[in-house]
Amino acid sequence: MGCSTRISHFFIIAGISKLTMSIDDLSAQIEWVKLVPSQLVITIGICETLGGLGLILPSITRVAPILTPVAAICLAFMMILAIIFHVIYKEYNGIFVNVIIAALCIFIAWGRYGEYSIDPKTGKADI
């Protein structure tokens, strides 16, 4: 399994859990959920789910594969915002994971935009 696939699974699972679990159950597992409005938690869940899908679907289908690095940059930006949030609320134990995930997202964006980009479908039969 490649880096894109693993990170996409991480974001899809994290996003779906934010969308399907109750705020009370979620706040028992994730400390910061108590500190923000429930609408923000739902918005983050939607962004994580769509971003995770954006890491793999464009590359798999070869339909608009430029969306893969765009999704990776957006997810890296979300992780940078999460780092800022954790610093403001003095939740330093979550920062390391966010830094690693942001770095992996930037790596994915670099790889899928640069030398290892995936060519889009041409509409002709690929043999």
Side-chain angles (χ1 to χ4, degrees), residues 15-89:
I16 288 175
S17 68
K18 287 178 184 74
L19 294 172
T20 59
M21 293 176 69
S22 71
I23 295 298
D24 294 331
D25 292 340
L26 200 56
S27 64
Q29 295 179 9
I30 306 172
E31 189 71 27
W32 61 264
V33 171
K34 300 174 199 169
L35 304 172
V36 298
S38 62
Q39 293 86 357
L40 180 60
V41 175
I42 292 168
T43 302
I44 291 170
I46 292 169
C47 291
E48 287 176 341
T49 304
L50 293 176
L53 291 171
L55 287 178
I56 54 173
L57 286 182
S59 296
I60 290 172
T61 62
R62 291 179 54 201
V63 174
I66 190 66
L67 293 178
T68 296
V70 170
I73 291 296
C74 291
L75 290 170
F77 182 68
M78 280 184 61
M79 291 298 101
I80 292 167
L81 292 176
I83 292 167
I84 294 168
F85 178 87
H86 289 306
V87 167
I88 290 171
Y89 286 96

